[in-house]
Amino acid sequence: MNKVQHENHTMTLTDDLTGKSVKLPVMKGTIGPDVIDVRGIYGAANKFTFDPGYSVTGSCISELTYIDGDEGILLHRGYSIEELAEKSDFLEVAYLLLNGELPNITEKGEFVEAITHHTMVHEQISTFFRGFRRDAHPMAILCGVTGALSAFYHDSTDIHDPHQRMIASRRLIAKMPTLAAMAYKYSIGQPFNYPKNELNYAENFLQMCFSVPAEDYVPDPIVSNAMDKILILHADHEQNASTSTVRLAGSSGANPFACIAAGIASLWGPAHGGANEAVIKMLEEIGDVSNIQKFINKAKDKNDSFRLMGFGHRVYKNYDPRATVMKESAHEVLEELNMQDDPLLKIAIELEKIALKDEYFISKKLFPNVDFYSGIILKSLGFPTSMFTVLFAIGRTVGWISQWKEMIEDPINKIGRPRQLYTGYKSRTYQIESTREKKSIFNWLWKKN
Ligand code: SDX
């Protein structure tokens, strides 16, 4: 963990009511806004801070990912997402996030070998699936089965043992595609496929999803390269809702499998990772470019809860750099798959064009985010919309487990326990008449029956 510069820089907070002041240390990172260390504010001023949604609250010190929302910059351990998407591959990015540096050839070989040999799951897990209905949403299945992994891999749940943390991290990265593919196969009533060690990570996932016993599966390099890039684009994203969920769950000492299951649950929300599925449903509902303005008007209408799915972001007030890469990739993949006339892509491009010229979106700095184009690619790769957030979860497992590892290894790590502004009743005594009243009601009910 790079040294945080504590310089003797402070900010003074003065209570205008009492005139009392409190000096708060300012902490400086390598790039990005400084933070005011408010840990002492309750002791000094008998006050809490208030920031529902934590939009201006630093919850931790991290070296993994840096986002500049105004400039549309995303760095993983200092490398831009554009460079990593173009030059790296998903397991190399996973190694980088977990260990801090890009692997050399030997390190990469060992890591890929280890992940490859952890892709199978305990055979009992396939019977675990049988408990679900066939029409269960794959995210519901993934959430349940991931949490259940701690029942099968109890030998890597001691969070204080670095070796067990490493094994659990590799097991989660390796097994998530297998579980995801099993959830998909189960939902369409086809038999599960085992991983094949001769395939790379993305190819293996695709073969587990799309191969059938009746014929040989030949990986399509266009599709597997696109899949690998999509996983890179979803790998990590600072302290988003699901990552913060993983960290909070992990701060209590919960095992890593349970923490990742909590992250999957949070990611499922349509305001977060569920947006990619919601974007496709929205584009299908728009149906034709002639209907776009009607939906844009709905999104702008304060009295209408409809939001333009795939647009806007808590941090990005500029174009999400992942959306730029995703948009280019969508064009490439659809071209290569001879689907360039995809009607949903046409609607998406026209929708983006109209929205980005509209004062409402310009003034509120609402741009396409990572989810706006991802669904179009995933649909062209043959996935049903119900699998889109599952694919997001496969990529984000690397970020979740890297953030979890960083938290466990951080000496200032402690159980997360936010406070509140209480606006309920002051203390009041339990009134006898209310007991008497209760008895009379009880007697009335008793007599009635
Ligand atoms: C992800 O945090 C992360 O890093 C998440 C993520 C990751 O990789 O982990 O990047 C993944 O979750 C991407 C976001 C996917 N969600 C969607 O695409 C759903 C649609 N977008 C929104 O619901 C919304 O933009 C959020 C939830 C993403 C952000 O919500 P905020 O923080 O409330 O947005 P904001 O404060 O910037 O909103 C400013 C204004 C508000 O209006 P006013 O109250 O000022 O009048 O813009 C409005 C919002 O109501 N607004 C939208 C809008 N998004 C915000 N209006 C219409 N359509 C939208 N999409």
Side-chain angles (χ1 to χ4, degrees):
M1 184 76 70
N2 285 335
K3 277 282 316 124
V4 172
Q5 296 156 34
H6 262 284
E7 290 169 12
N8 46 12
H9 170 194
T10 59
M11 278 184 77
T12 302
L13 200 58
T14 304
D15 184 335
D16 295 338
L17 206 62
T18 62
K20 267 189 77 179
S21 295
V22 57
K23 271 189 189 317
L24 297 167
V26 173
M27 297 161 73
K28 188 177 279 302
T30 37
I31 36 177
D34 296 347
V35 298
I36 303 170
D37 183 347
V38 294
R39 284 175 287 185
I41 196 167
Y42 181 56
N46 192 31
K47 289 184 178 51
F48 295 145
T49 59
F50 185 65
D51 180 21
Y54 312 114
S55 40
V56 290
T57 292
S59 61
C60 61
I61 295 169
S62 181
E63 298 176 5
L64 284 167
T65 291
Y66 173 71
I67 299 171
D68 182 326
D70 295 327
E71 299 302 318
I73 291 170
L74 168 56
L75 305 177
H76 290 316
R77 301 279 191 182
Y79 296 99
S80 75
I81 190 63
E82 292 89 344
E83 270 214 295
L84 291 172
E86 188 195 334
K87 299 173 184 169
S88 187
D89 63 54
F90 180 63
L91 283 188
E92 186 173 77
V93 172
Y95 185 97
L96 172 67
L97 285 168
L98 275 169
N99 302 296
E101 298 295 339
L102 288 168
N104 61 35
I105 294 177
T106 314
E107 290 162 336
K108 179 156 183 199
E110 186 279 328
F111 185 69
V112 172
E113 180 76 4
I115 296 295
T116 302
H117 287 86
H118 275 297
T119 47
M120 282 183 72
V121 292
H122 191 292
E123 199 56 20
Q124 281 302 103
I125 287 181
S126 39
T127 50
F128 189 91
F129 272 79
R130 306 265 175 255
F132 291 102
R133 286 173 33 155
R134 288 282 179 180
D135 61 355
H137 194 290
M139 277 298 278
I141 298 176
L142 192 68
C143 195
V145 180
T146 302
L149 289 179
S150 44
F152 291 89
Y153 301 106
H154 218 73
D155 61 341
S156 58
T157 54
D158 175 357
I159 64 167
H160 302 296
D161 176 348
H163 179 70
Q164 289 196 32
R165 290 203 299 268
M166 184 267 286
I167 295 292
S169 303
R170 290 180 171 190
R171 276 176 163 156
L172 279 156
I173 293 169
K175 297 180 193 309
M176 202 54 75
T178 310
L179 297 176
M182 291 169 81
Y184 172 57
K185 283 302 201 187
Y186 188 73
S187 70
I188 57 173
Q190 288 186 359
F192 297 143
N193 290 312
Y194 289 102
K196 290 186 185 301
N197 289 354
E198 70 273 18
L199 298 176
N200 69 38
Y201 192 85
E203 287 169 344
N204 211 354
F205 171 60
L206 291 163
Q207 83 75 22
M208 288 189 283
C209 287
F210 296 123
S211 73
V212 288
E215 56 193 37
D216 292 337
Y217 177 82
V218 180
D220 176 335
I222 299 167
V223 175
S224 46
N225 288 337
M227 189 71 251
D228 193 85
K229 189 178 283 188
I230 287 170
L231 294 175
I232 291 175
L233 293 173
H234 287 86
D236 190 46
H237 210 240
E238 202 207 68
Q239 305 310 319
N240 58 84
S242 53
T243 297
S244 300
T245 301
V246 170
R247 279 181 171 260
L248 197 54
S251 73
S252 74
N255 73 68
F257 304 104
C259 295
I260 300 303
I264 292 170
S266 170
L267 184 74
W268 197 2
H272 189 14
N276 52 19
E277 182 176 350
V279 166
I280 291 295
K281 287 185 177 149
M282 175 186 74
L283 294 175
E284 286 168 345
E285 200 186 340
I286 292 173
D288 183 275
V289 290
S290 58
N291 298 326
I292 288 176
Q293 194 55 54
K294 186 176 78 175
F295 281 81
I296 287 196
N297 296 339
K298 272 172 67 68
K300 291 160 60 175
D301 180 356
K302 269 275 154 245
N303 302 316
D304 191 326
S305 60
F306 173 77
R307 282 193 162 182
L308 216 47
M309 301 317 278
F311 258 74
H313 198 275
R314 174 58 60 81
V315 177
Y316 288 122
K317 301 309 167 190
N318 198 326
Y319 219 100
D320 179 338
R322 301 168 297 174
T324 310
V325 179
M326 201 72 86
K327 183 177 178 181
E328 284 155 15
S329 190
H331 281 292
E332 281 161 22
V333 171
L334 291 175
E335 190 91 20
E336 286 157 346
L337 295 176
N338 210 6
M339 299 164 78
Q340 58 272 44
D341 297 332
D342 180 286
L344 294 185
L345 179 64
K346 280 192 164 42
I347 295 172
I349 291 169
E350 194 57 26
L351 173 59
E352 178 192 350
K353 217 184 283 174
I354 298 172
L356 294 186
K357 287 193 191 116
D358 186 295
E359 188 42 39
Y360 174 91
F361 293 89
I362 295 168
S363 62
K364 294 179 186 295
K365 297 183 179 177
L366 303 175
F367 291 85
N369 58 47
V370 67
D371 294 304
F372 189 64
Y373 284 102
S374 58
I376 290 169
I377 304 179
L378 296 175
K379 192 165 178 293
S380 72
L381 300 185
F383 290 103
T385 49
S386 60
M387 278 293 288
F388 289 3
T389 311
V390 170
L391 302 177
F392 194 146
I394 296 173
R396 190 52 56 89
T397 294
V398 160
W400 287 332
I401 203 65
S402 301
Q403 298 268 355
W404 172 82
K405 174 178 178 285
E406 184 178 62
M407 175 194 69
I408 298 287
E409 293 169 356
D410 184 345
I412 65 168
N413 165 41
K414 56 167 58 173
I415 188 165
R417 187 18 178 121
R419 301 306 301 271
Q420 62 180 11
L421 176 66
Y422 175 70
T423 56
Y425 280 107
K426 290 183 180 168
S427 170
R428 54 180 175 159
T429 35
Y430 183 77
Q431 299 303 325
I432 298 298
E433 52 272 10
S434 65
T435 317
R436 195 174 294 132
E437 208 178 282
K438 243 185 234 158
K439 279 212 175 96
S440 64
I441 291 168
F442 178 75
N443 292 339
W444 176 73
L445 282 172
W446 179 260
K447 282 193 196 98
K448 197 170 142 249
N449 298 325

